[in-house]
Structures are given as structure tokens and as C-alpha cells.
Amino acid sequence: MPSLSASQLLTQLKNVSQVTQQGESLKQGQIVGGKVLKLYPQHKALIQIGGKQLNAQLEASLSANERYVFQVQSISPLLRLKVMEGEKGKALQTPTQYFKKLGISSPSKTQLDFVSNLMQKDIPFTNQDVKEALQLLEKSGGEVKVRETLLEMMSRRLPIKSSIFQAFYERNVSSSSLTSALQSIANDLKNQNGQQKSSLGYQLQQILGRSDPERPLSDVVRGTFLNGTQGEQKTSFQLLQRAGLISEELSFNQVERHSSLVFKTESSGKWAEQLLNVFQEQLSMSKGNKQLIHQFTNVLERMTGGEESNPVDTKLAQRLTQLTSALKDAGVFGSLRAMLNRTGASPSTIQAINTLIESSNPLQVLKENPSGLQQAAKSLTHLMNQQLNGEETVKLVEWLRHSLTEMGERSLPMKDEFLIKLKSFTQLSGLNYEHQLAQKGEVSQSTLKGSILQAMQDSASSPIMDRLQTVLNHLNAVPIMMQESDQSIHFNVQMPGEWFGIEQDVTMDVDGNKKENGEIDPDYCHILFYLELQSLKETIIDMKVQKRVVQLTLFTENQEIENVIQAFKPSLEKGLLELNYHLSTVRHKEIKPSQPVYAQSERQQAQTRQKGGFDLKI
């Protein structure tokens, strides 16, 4: 867990970037505090609720510059608010008056303080929310940390349920880290026997990043190919052919009959390298944008595949214009250019594609450079043929995780190593366990979450039940803490530190915006990393991206690392430039509990400027 100083700093950093979108998430029937800023004719007014100013239709005449407690009557087409009434028809102003409306004549100080916080902080709530929250608060004896957790849950619009509260509390308040809880269970299982130890113990070793170094990659692949389900076998076969590890002339049956020759142990190093090549050729963008590029490639291939003298297909020409415009709006060329460059496309080919996408008259560009765009179509076709589907990606990450030790000896790029570990953790932990059950009725692969749920069901009196519940709370917190709307997205990832050779958890907090088409905007983001390192101790990395310009601030307890930071700056600049990002500043600040992170003016600017999307590849 972060120290008090680091916790205060993280809170300040998050507050700078996050502005609660009260107005966009108000619901009919909710109660919320607010201030009347301006009055307009016909009972309309400008209301401030938290950090948001909203136009609203009021049910009665009110006074400007006064605070009121409102109830939402409707949200469309115009927000309609009604002032809550207290005694004798007067406007409700205090928590005591609110409790009287609920029929509670003598509320406790704990109850009054909680509702007072809701009103003062303009947090929307319902009567049922308050009842559920007060029950949880009373069970804790009115503990301050529980009150703050409940207020945070309500500000995030989370359902007030015991299971959600436990998960949220475990992640944000409890002193137990995910790493320590996993290690504790793993140690306890050493003294147990049976199927539970076998299944859960294996999952724990995997989730802690402890792969079997003695088992070569070729054995892992062969085991999947021969012993997996029919779907896994088909996926494995297709993936191996994409990687060039199995000839496209061989059938599945031929490979199965001669598996000992195909899956040679001494070939593991080669297999790891070629599978890594496939991983590195995957476009880091949404499924929707990949589909756009697929369609663009198909149309371009058809339009450049015939004789130049052939008449142009009008429908194809219209479709090309639509697709170039869509690709330009999506802003994907930076990622596409980097990948084309990596796969060997010439600078002239890449420039031809860029010119076509940026042009307002793509048909004219096609007429002026038919041979260049014909080569561009071939390069795009090769790249898109290497893109994997969901099942293939899952299997590829699983195999690469097993080969991390082998590839480490070959200086695996840090970016690829991080992405493999992040994707591996997501798959192994079962963060989407409930989603898979709801969509498919089953979970396609064994996960830690599934093993924990099974272990808790099989042995309710087990001495490790409390620790199993702790880990489950940590895992449940990930989807709970993810907030997504039409305009923005926020999520938090916590991974065991053993994946990265450190003792405590690695925590990453990501905040960003969406574009009009619903895609994540890669031009903007705010990412916070929290680490506990052996030499630097507590370390917070604050990264902001505005219009693809990156600002990086490193907070540590060590004042003597400035030279180290500057030594890494050139390589950081180069890596970002390859992805069409530009490094603006790299700063170091000392972690101090009492000193504000940013000046007040900067904080105010942060509250009014547009928040951005994120690109995990940064």
C-alpha cells in the first residue's frame, strides 16, 4: 500500500485530471445539491452541480447565488429540477430535515455527517442509496475510511451493495496488497493435498508470473495442439501457419501424425522469435478501426489490380472516398505508418498511402500514382493478413508468456515484454469471467477467478477462505472501477510485482476521452503508475498526453536521480517519435505530503480543458 505521503500525492494527481460528469449522469428521481448561478425567464436557470454548469427548468422561483437540494424530475429534452421541501413548504436545507422526510426523527451523528457530505459535495443519491450505505456504515461503527469509501462509490455512481463495497474497499483502503495475498495462499497450499491444491496452486503460480523454465515452448505448443479442444487445435494450427512455423502446404492431419518432427525441442528459440514477430505485427487499435483498414485495403486492391485503361467502377470510387475520409477522421495513420515501416514497406509506399488518405480527391491521386498505390495495396494486404482474431491472440499471448525466460536472453524489447505480461495477467486472472459466462454460458480457459470461486464453493470452512476472498475482492475491483460513458473512459489495473521483479503491486490508473465515433482518442491521455522499487522506493510516474505531446513527471523520495532521467531521455524521445508522439518535458519532483502538486491556476485549467483518450502502446 502507498504511504500517507504517496497516497496524498496520488489523490492530488487524480483530482487534477478527473472532473466528475454529474450533469451527464443524473437520473430521474435522484437527489443532488447545487447552486443557482443565474436566473432566466420562464423559471429557467444556470445551475452548478459539482464542477459542471447546467441549464435547467425549475419548478419554482428561486434566488441566485443560493444553494438548494434538488430532486431530478426529468433529464430530457431539458433537465427539470424540483427543490426538495422541508417543514412548512420551505426549501430543504439540512440533513436533519432530510431525515425527517424519511421518517427518522433522531438520526445519529454518523448519519447526519454522511448525508451532509453528499449534499455539500453535490453527489447525486436516492433514498435507497442512503439506506444501503448507512447500513454498511453502521456495521463498521461509523469508521471514517468506510464513510469515505461509500462517498467515493456514490460519486462514481456505483451500486451500493456489500460485494461491490468489499471489492472497492479492498483495492483503495485495505493494507493487504494483491501480491501479498496471492503469495500467502500459495504458501498455505503447500501443506494441502488434492485437486484443489493442484488446480488453484497452478493458477497462483501462473498469475504470479512464475512460468516453468524447464518446459520448452515447443512442448507447450505441442501439448495444446494434441491435447486441447477441437477449437484450440484449429486455432493453434492457424496461428502456427501465420507465424510460418508450419508450412501452408501441410494439413492438420499430417502435422498431427508427425508432431514429434514438427515440434522439436531444439527449435524453441526459433519458435519464440517468430511468434514474437507475429505479436509485434499486430496493429494497436480498436476492432472497428482494423475493419476500416481491411475494407480500405480490399477496395484499393480491386481498383489497382486491373489494367489502367479499364473504366473506373463508380461504386468503388465512391467507397474509396468514404473510406479515406473515415480513416482520416479516425487518426490511425500514425500507428499504421509505424507498422508498415516495421514490416518492410518502402518510404515511397508509406507516403503514397498517406497522400491518398489525406486527399480530398483520392480518385485523382490514384490516377496520378497507379503503380505506387498498387504496391501500397500489396503491403497493406500482407499486413492485414497477419492480424489475428480474438482466439488466436489469446493463444499467442499464452505461448509467449511461457517463452519470456527464453526471449529475455535475447533482449526482448521492454515495450513488448510489458504488453505480453499485461495481456497475460488479464487472461489468467479471469477479469472478464462473468462477461464470458453471460455471453457464452462457459469460460473458454481456466482462470484464477474461476479456480477461487470453485475452491470457495468446495471448502467453505477452509482456513484460507479469508485470503481467497481478499484476492477475489481485488479481482472484482477491476471491472467495478472501470467507468465508461459516451465521452470518456477510466480504468485501474493492479498487477503482482513479481511479473516485473519487484516485491509489491504495480498499479496503473488510466483516464481518457472518446471521439465522436466512440473510438478511444489516442491524442489525449493521463496515465499514473505507482511502483515500489528497491532503489528508488516509492515511485509515481505521471504521464499526460495533449495533442500527441507527452509530458512526464517522475515523483520519488530520491533527489539524486536527475542525471539518470536525462540519460534515458533520448531513447524515450526516439521511441515516442516512432509512434508519432513528441516528448515535451521530463521532470523530477520529490514526494512531499504537504506541498501541492500543481499551482491553483494549473488545477483550474485542468478542470476546464478537454480530457483525452489513451493508447496503452505509449
Side-chain angles (χ1 to χ4, degrees), residues 404-422:
L404 280 175
T405 304
E406 289 181 72
M407 289 189 293
E409 299 172 358
R410 296 172 173 80
S411 301
L412 177 69
M414 189 178 297
K415 171 180 67 69
D416 294 321
E417 182 181 353
F418 177 79
L419 282 175
I420 290 168
K421 290 178 176 179
L422 179 62

Side-chain angles (χ1 to χ4, degrees), residues 133-244:
L134 290 178
Q135 285 181 5
L136 292 169
L137 191 56
E138 294 296 334
K139 285 181 182 179
S140 73
E143 187 181 337
V144 174
K145 290 182 178 179
V146 172
R147 183 188 69 190
E148 295 302 318
T149 299
L150 289 167
L151 288 171
E152 179 69 13
M153 287 175 62
M154 294 177 76
S155 71
R156 289 173 176 258
R157 318 296 190 261
L158 294 175
I160 308 302
K161 295 182 179 179
S162 179
S163 60
I164 295 177
F165 167 77
Q166 289 175 9
F168 200 81
Y169 185 88
E170 196 74 58
R171 172 62 70 87
N172 290 279
V173 180
S174 173
S175 59
S176 174
S177 69
L178 176 60
T179 297
S180 60
L182 290 168
Q183 290 172 338
S184 178
I185 298 172
N187 291 334
D188 286 339
L189 286 177
K190 292 178 181 178
N191 302 319
Q192 295 188 17
N193 297 310
Q195 182 65 28
Q196 175 182 323
K197 175 183 177 181
S198 175
S199 174
L200 183 56
Y202 175 77
Q203 290 297 329
L204 286 168
Q205 295 300 314
Q206 298 298 305
I207 204 69
L208 283 166
R210 302 170 183 174
S211 58
D212 184 359
E214 297 181 1
R215 190 181 182 197
L217 176 61
S218 56
D219 274 8
V220 176
V221 177
R222 186 177 183 222
T224 305
F225 189 81
L226 298 179
N227 304 320
T229 64
Q230 185 175 1
E232 283 185 311
Q233 290 176 334
K234 182 180 179 181
T235 296
S236 300
F237 181 69
Q238 292 171 340
L239 179 55
L240 291 171
Q241 286 193 325
R242 282 181 188 271

